[in-house]
């Protein structure tokens, strides 16, 4: 099959347009904390994606820290095993 035919098959409904990408990047930018990126300013897509990755990494670190702290608190808490089981089931 020729290269041209192969490309035309890929350009069907599964292909995303630049306008759709721009819209998705704009929506992603809106989800980031306002202190990092101004939502009304034109920011390059690459920067939005980099900031998104950085933000996700910081959220992972925060979750890890909170999980460690919670484990420590549960380990030192004076509660019955039934109470502990209820707390653990709520967290899972």
């Amino acid at each position: 099959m020729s290269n041209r035919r192969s490309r035309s098959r890929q350009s069907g409904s599964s292909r995303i347009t630049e306008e759709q990408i721009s819209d998705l990047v704009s929506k992603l930018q809106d989800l980031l904390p306002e202190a990092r990126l101004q939502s009304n300013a034109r920011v390059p897509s690459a920067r939005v994606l980099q900031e998104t990755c950085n933000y996700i990494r910081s959220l992972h670190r925060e979750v890890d820290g909170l999980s460690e702290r919670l484990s420590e608190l549960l380990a030192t808490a004076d509660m019955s095993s039934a109470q502990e089981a209820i707390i653990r089931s709520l967290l899972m």
Side-chain angles (χ1 to χ4, degrees), residues 7 20 23 34 41-42 44 48 55 67 71 73 86 92:
R7 275 186 264 148
Q20 289 170 318
D23 185 51
E34 290 181 36
R42 174 75 175 118
V48 173
Y55 184 57
S67 294
S71 293
L73 288 171
I86 291 170
M92 299 295 171

Side-chain angles (χ1 to χ4, degrees), residues 6 13-15 18-19 21 24 32 34-35 38 40 48-52 55-56 59 62 66 74-75 77 82 85 88:
S6 175
S13 63
S14 65
R15 192 160 194 184
E18 286 187 34
E19 184 178 320
I21 291 172
L24 291 170
L32 293 174
E34 290 181 36
Q38 299 295 326
N40 59 354
V48 173
L49 295 174
Q50 184 62 52
E51 288 294 325
T52 301
Y55 184 57
I56 290 171
L59 290 174
E62 188 175 343
L66 290 171
L74 287 174
R88 288 187 191 281

